[in-house]
Amino acid sequence: MVIVTTIRREVLTLPAAQLGPDNPLPPLRLLHEVHRIDERDRDELPRDMARQTDYEPLRSLLPVRVRDGYGRTREPRKLDALVIENDRLRATVLPGLGGRVASLLHKPTGRELLYRNPVFQPANFALNGAWFSGGIEWNIGATGHTTLSCSPLHAARVPAPDGGEMLRLWEWERLRDLPFQIDLWLPRHSDFLHVGVRIRNPHQRPAPVYWWSNIAVPEERRVLAPAQEAWHFSYERRLRRVPVPAYDGIDRSYPLNNPYAADYFYEVPQERRRWIAALDDDGHGLVQTSTDVLRGRKLFVWGAGSGGRRWQNWLTEPGSGGYCEIQAGLARTQLEHVRLDPESEVSWTEAYGPLDASPDGSSWSAVVDVAEARLEAVLPRADVDAAHAAWKPYADTEPGEPLATGSGWGALEVLRADLKLPGTPFDESTLGEPQEPWLQLLRTGSLPEPRRVRPPGGTLVARHWRDMLETAPATPLTEYHLGVAQWHAGDRAQAVRSWERALELAPSLWPLLRCLAVADQEAGNHERAADRYADAFDDLCHERRDDSERWTAATAALGREAIEALLAVRRTDQARAVWERLHPATRERGRFRLIEAQLLLAEGRPQEALDVFRAGFEAADLREGAEAVGRLWARLTDEPLPEHYDFRMRPPEV
């Protein structure tokens, strides 16, 4: 048989911002999390939804690091890509950036089916910070954008069910300690990209699972889904059932009809086929469908307001067109986690391709039925089920030619537990410097002492690693890591004791003082927290050996937290002293220009603070839903908030 599907390497050159170094401070607190519902709405939820919104919500980012070292300066950079192609479709995948499908081109018509971002611009939307917009994103872990958004995945060629080739992506998801894989293939002469997904729980305990496939499409579309109702969620954090497509006199299936950012989680009846489509005025667009396990469907809109427009420009570049997101997930909403039993797995198959159907009509039901009939004609529901059945035996096939390399964390876990994971090998050759101290702990029972003074590496916090830390020799470094692991486990008092014990002998005090300062803040002791932050920053400045990337990142991260803690207790002189000791290049970054304005206002110099705004800055890591810029502006002047500072995602009166 002639094999018409090919997989090849390619290099994309895009205007791209540098990701920069990770934040070296352990994330003892979650970043601002928007996926929480108002308690007033909980009693109105269906029983299974209420149960799953309460099931194992994320309480910590550990062991993952925060990624906040990126900026807003874009220069042409090369991105490694993998292209899977048949005679009908060409899919471009970025294995170094979470396996994102950056482009899906329908060759007979020349139409790009996705929103293809013309730039790579990280922004603070992932659970751990850096994220970028466009294409198809694979979200695993917990409610929100995956921590793997800007991280590499393993990739290799694998035999496909039809005798051709598949592109396999796989990694170890660290928030929930679960391996997963994504297999992409194009059946011969098919207009649909097939995607088989499997998440495994190799542990002897149940695990919370989260998955949403996030598809960016141009926002000048009408979004169709087989539902008469949806759960509406917005940045007021209210979850309520609304009719589809229209309520309050507005047809919300047209993204630009929505004034503000919002989620619409469609209530797809149990017996209906799972699908969602986005069609332009001429009836052309993309449809996504799947086997029934992937039950949820969602529309996200930025809205037509000034804040939504600002975010659109922030994530791409002016003039490139806006986008909305159509999504598919394991649960009704993105506020939920589902249970995966011990030593079990969950899998499904998705399909992405073109759909031609009229988006217009006086009856929503009629428009949806016509689109679904058209989908059934070009890709029958039974064919998707058959594709899944045909794929399942190939999910365990060992990969062939390696195409990209992910992290070494999966290899470490496989070694620790002697796991057998057919189809997703985590080879020892992938172990690197981040895993080295933990590999030594596993093999010798003790953490190695660092050969030179430097910021400590990341901490592993799962129960088995915490047990090893508890029985290891109690060196200051071990006590530091043990305290972080205990904090993650919720044993905050014991964590504080571990950090205090380490202070007695530690050659490096600032990491411990910073952890204790966070503990003080969480306990409401803000004055002592400020003392410890000031002492920690002073110790870091004395200890800092050079202006390397690692030390600069540590100074910026600790300095930022110290200034905020000192301003909270009105110790402006000490906050100013910290500011003056930051690297000049750090002080010029947009986030620190915003901090400078806050500091000037606290010092009673509002006009100089306003001058910072008038001079202009871009705080690269503004968080989704953040309103700090607008609130500070309102304290400085009665003038309207300039458009380039307007990131509001909800009505101003709320």
Side-chain angles (χ1 to χ4, degrees):
M1 183 175 71
V2 177
I3 304 303
V4 295
T5 298
T6 61
I7 299 173
R8 68 177 188 275
R9 301 176 190 270
E10 196 170 275
V11 175
L12 299 183
T13 300
L14 296 178
Q18 292 277 23
L19 272 171
D22 289 354
N23 189 319
L25 307 182
L28 301 179
R29 291 175 288 218
L30 283 173
L31 301 181
H32 175 63
E33 174 51 56
V34 299
H35 296 96
R36 297 284 187 269
I37 63 173
D38 192 299
E39 289 298 321
R40 291 173 291 177
D41 299 327
R42 194 172 297 277
D43 292 341
E44 304 300 319
L45 302 181
R47 185 174 300 176
D48 62 330
M49 188 190 297
R51 181 178 64 252
Q52 290 179 165
T53 57
D54 286 334
Y55 179 52
E56 296 292 339
L58 194 66
R59 295 181 174 85
S60 167
L61 285 178
L62 292 162
V64 176
R65 288 284 184 89
V66 170
R67 310 200 73 173
D68 60 4
Y70 52 87
R72 298 276 305 167
T73 300
R74 296 194 288 264
E75 298 175 352
R77 305 187 198 280
K78 294 182 178 179
L79 302 178
D80 290 333
L82 298 170
V83 176
I84 178 169
E85 183 172 11
N86 68 2
D87 59 334
R88 309 289 295 176
L89 283 177
R90 181 188 304 134
T92 303
V93 180
L94 304 178
L97 294 170
R100 184 78 59 99
V101 179
S103 168
L104 187 61
L105 181 72
H106 187 235
K107 294 164 69 173
T109 61
R111 295 192 189 108
E112 173 60 60
L113 300 180
L114 305 174
Y115 172 78
R116 182 171 185 170
N117 198 331
V119 303
F120 172 69
Q121 177 56 64
N124 192 1
F125 277 69
L127 287 165
N128 63 330
W131 172 86
F132 66 106
S133 65
I136 305 172
E137 175 188 11
W138 316 111
N139 284 302
I140 183 173
T143 53
H145 291 284
T146 177
T147 62
L148 295 167
S149 292
C150 294
S151 296
L153 304 188
H154 302 282
R157 298 179 194 269
V158 184
D162 63 354
E165 289 185 320
M166 291 192 296
L167 172 60
R168 175 163 297 164
L169 306 166
W170 72 98
E171 244 304 351
W172 191 277
E173 200 289 308
R174 300 181 68 204
L175 292 179
R176 304 302 196 181
D177 262 340
L178 300 176
F180 69 97
Q181 71 189 78
I182 306 163
D183 288 354
L184 302 97
W185 76 100
L186 288 167
R188 189 178 185 185
H189 304 317
S190 176
D191 279 326
F192 284 84
L193 174 67
H194 287 53
V195 182
V197 182
R198 175 168 65 169
I199 304 172
R200 287 189 275 198
N201 178 10
H203 309 296
Q204 295 181 350
R205 63 181 189 279
V209 171
Y210 174 92
W211 182 280
W212 281 81
S213 301
N214 183 349
I215 310 132
V217 293
E219 66 181 347
E220 293 182 350
R221 298 289 187 268
R222 190 181 197 192
V223 174
L224 308 179
Q228 298 294 323
E229 293 182 311
W231 293 92
H232 172 266
F233 184 72
S234 64
Y235 288 81
E236 297 95 310
R237 298 192 179 185
R238 299 302 304 272
L239 183 67
R240 55 199 176 101
R241 198 190 298 256
V242 298
V244 172
Y247 75 93
D248 290 345
I250 300 173
D251 187 337
R252 311 284 174 150
S253 64
Y254 293 93
L256 285 171
N257 283 355
N258 293 268
Y260 294 98
D263 298 326
Y264 296 93
F265 299 103
Y266 295 109
E267 191 70 78
V268 179
Q270 192 69 28
E271 71 281 359
R272 291 294 293 263
R273 182 176 184 176
R274 267 56 178 163
W275 63 274
I276 188 168
L279 305 178
D280 64 20
D281 290 342
D282 295 324
H284 307 308
L286 173 98
V287 65
Q288 186 274 356
T289 187
S290 71
T291 49
D292 289 352
V293 167
L294 204 65
R295 66 171 296 184
R297 293 298 184 275
K298 172 195 166 182
L299 165 64
F300 168 75
V301 298
W302 283 105
S306 58
R309 297 301 90 198
R310 182 64 178 122
W311 275 116
Q312 292 271 25
N313 289 334
W314 185 257
L315 295 170
T316 176
E317 61 181 12
S320 60
Y323 75 95
C324 63
E325 294 169 359
I326 57 175
Q327 303 187 24
L330 282 175
R332 275 192 181 96
T333 73
Q334 287 177 327
L335 311 172
E336 305 168 65
H337 300 102
V338 300
R339 173 189 165 108
L340 186 57
D341 289 332
E343 299 179 322
S344 68
E345 64 181 51
V346 60
S347 68
W348 62 91
T349 293
E350 305 180 46
Y352 296 81
L355 185 68
D356 295 319
S358 174
D360 299 322
S362 58
S363 165
W364 168 257
S365 294
V367 170
V368 168
D369 288 345
V370 167
E372 187 167 309
R374 183 60 184 152
L375 172 60
E376 186 66 18
V378 296
L379 183 66
R381 184 179 190 179
D383 284 6
V384 179
D385 293 336
H388 181 68
W391 167 72
K392 282 296 295 293
Y394 288 81
D396 284 346
T397 302
E398 291 305 313
E401 178 194 356
L403 298 171
T405 303
S407 77
W409 295 114
L412 184 65
E413 293 299 331
V414 166
L415 275 176
R416 180 197 63 79
D418 191 27
L419 298 175
K420 308 300 180 189
L421 298 170
T424 54
F426 293 96
D427 193 84
E428 286 189 47
S429 64
T430 62
L431 293 166
E433 181 183 352
Q435 293 82 40
E436 183 57 37
W438 302 96
L439 185 61
Q440 184 165 327
L441 175 64
L442 178 64
R443 289 174 169 168
T444 70
S446 63
L447 276 177
E449 287 298 307
R451 296 178 182 177
R452 62 184 185 276
V453 175
R454 61 181 183 179
T459 303
L460 296 185
V461 297
R463 177 59 185 268
H464 41 268
W465 293 106
R466 189 169 79 250
D467 290 345
M468 281 185 258
L469 288 169
E470 287 176 344
T471 58
T475 66
L477 182 61
T478 300
E479 293 281 19
Y480 163 80
H481 285 300
L482 176 58
V484 174
Q486 290 166 332
W487 182 273
H488 170 77
D491 192 351
R492 296 188 171 184
Q494 191 58 55
V496 168
R497 285 192 284 272
S498 295
W499 293 326
E500 288 176 339
R501 283 196 304 269
L503 275 177
E504 299 173 6
L505 297 174
S508 182
L509 302 181
W510 66 266
L512 297 159
L513 289 169
R514 182 264 177 178
C515 289
L516 289 167
V518 173
D520 284 333
Q521 287 179 323
E522 293 296 292
N525 195 337
H526 297 288
E527 289 288 350
R528 190 167 68 180
D531 289 339
R532 281 176 160 158
Y533 265 121
D535 290 344
F537 190 77
D538 186 63
D539 184 68
L540 183 151
C541 290
H542 282 104
E543 185 177 282
R544 188 174 63 213
R545 295 296 186 262
D546 51 47
D547 290 338
S548 66
E549 185 179 76
R550 182 176 292 189
W551 280 110
T552 300
T555 305
L558 184 59
R560 174 176 167 177
E561 290 187 11
I563 291 172
E564 291 171 351
L566 290 162
L567 289 180
V569 294
R570 301 181 180 179
R571 287 154 64 168
T572 55
D573 289 346
Q574 286 181 286
R576 172 61 66 179
V578 171
W579 170 264
E580 296 295 342
R581 296 175 79 178
L582 293 172
H583 292 83
T586 297
R587 294 200 298 264
E588 290 303 312
R589 288 167 52 186
R591 166 56 68 175
F592 287 86
R593 295 284 286 158
L594 176 60
I595 290 172
E596 181 185 21
Q598 294 169 322
L599 178 57
L600 288 166
L601 178 61
E603 291 172 329
R605 300 154 68 185
Q607 187 56 51
E608 291 175 69
L610 192 59
D611 289 343
V612 172
F613 275 87
R614 299 201 193 285
F617 62 85
E618 289 187 324
D621 61 336
L622 285 177
R623 188 67 176 164
E624 176 184 8
E627 299 176 351
V629 175
R631 286 197 298 266
L632 182 57
W633 174 268
R635 294 177 64 191
L636 297 173
T637 178
D638 293 331
E639 297 175 28
L641 181 65
E643 287 186 5
H644 59 281
Y645 292 129
D646 186 358
F647 294 91
R648 292 172 294 192
M649 299 177 73
R650 57 179 179 166
E653 66 273 14
V654 174

